[in-house]
Amino acid sequence: MNNTASTIAVSPPNSPGITLTLESTGVFLGILVSVSALAGVAIRIISKMNSISASISQIELALKEQANNAEKIRDLDKRFDLHIQEYVNRKDVVQMVMGQLDQKINHKFKRLLFYTRDIQRFLQRDTTFNIREYEENTQEE
């Protein structure tokens, strides 16, 4: 005789370990893909931040150099202004000296002209000296 016994599926007693099923493997792989995607995005963000930081550093250096150049330009501008003022002062002095020389020459010329006229008058009055006529452009004082 055949002994038939019916058995009901019973889960084995709780064993220490992880039971992998298709669903848990899918969830685990989904988590890994999401984490790797997030890591990629984080790496891109960090690289962009580093690029921006490097650009800011370059801009800061350029601004410092520009400030130094601006200070040099300001110094050169002040020196240039001093040279211009010195030139104007020298030009004024030279013009003043030239004017004084011109006045002295005119004064001496007029005195010489008056002395010459006095001599001409004396010679005409006391001798038979004949004076040639010429055109004058000077004015008597």
Side-chain angles (χ1 to χ4, degrees):
M1 90 145 177
N2 262 345
N3 274 344
T4 57
S6 54
T7 54
I8 299 175
V10 178
S11 60
N14 288 340
S15 62
I18 298 176
T19 306
L20 286 179
T21 63
L22 189 57
E23 186 180 342
S24 64
T25 304
V27 169
F28 181 70
L29 288 176
I31 290 172
L32 283 178
V33 168
S34 297
V35 167
S36 66
L38 286 175
V41 170
I43 288 172
R44 274 197 218 140
I45 289 173
I46 290 171
S47 66
K48 292 264 185 190
M49 294 294 283
N50 287 339
S51 172
I52 291 171
S53 176
S55 296
I56 289 172
S57 297
Q58 290 175 352
I59 291 171
E60 286 176 347
L61 291 175
L63 285 175
K64 286 179 185 177
E65 186 176 338
Q66 179 69 21
N68 290 338
N69 290 342
E71 186 64 33
K72 289 177 184 177
I73 290 171
R74 199 173 304 120
D75 185 45
L76 289 174
D77 192 34
K78 287 179 185 177
R79 283 195 267 163
F80 183 67
D81 288 341
L82 289 175
H83 285 296
I84 288 175
Q85 187 61 42
E86 184 179 347
Y87 168 76
V88 168
N89 292 343
R90 284 185 183 182
K91 182 185 76 152
D92 291 344
V93 167
V94 167
Q95 285 178 343
M96 185 176 65
V97 168
M98 295 295 284
Q100 288 175 350
L101 286 175
D102 190 41
Q103 287 176 355
K104 285 181 182 180
I105 291 170
N106 283 339
H107 177 70
K108 297 290 182 183
F109 179 74
K110 286 178 183 178
R111 283 183 61 193
L112 180 64
L113 180 65
F114 292 136
Y115 289 147
T116 307
R117 284 189 182 161
D118 284 345
I119 292 171
Q120 287 174 353
R121 286 185 196 126
F122 174 76
L123 289 174
Q124 276 183 344
R125 189 180 44 187
D126 292 341
T127 65
T128 59
F129 183 74
N130 198 5
I131 301 170
R132 286 185 269 163
E133 293 294 325
Y134 64 94
E135 192 176 315
E136 278 186 37
N137 291 331
T138 59
Q139 296 176 356
E140 295 184 21
E141 287 184 329

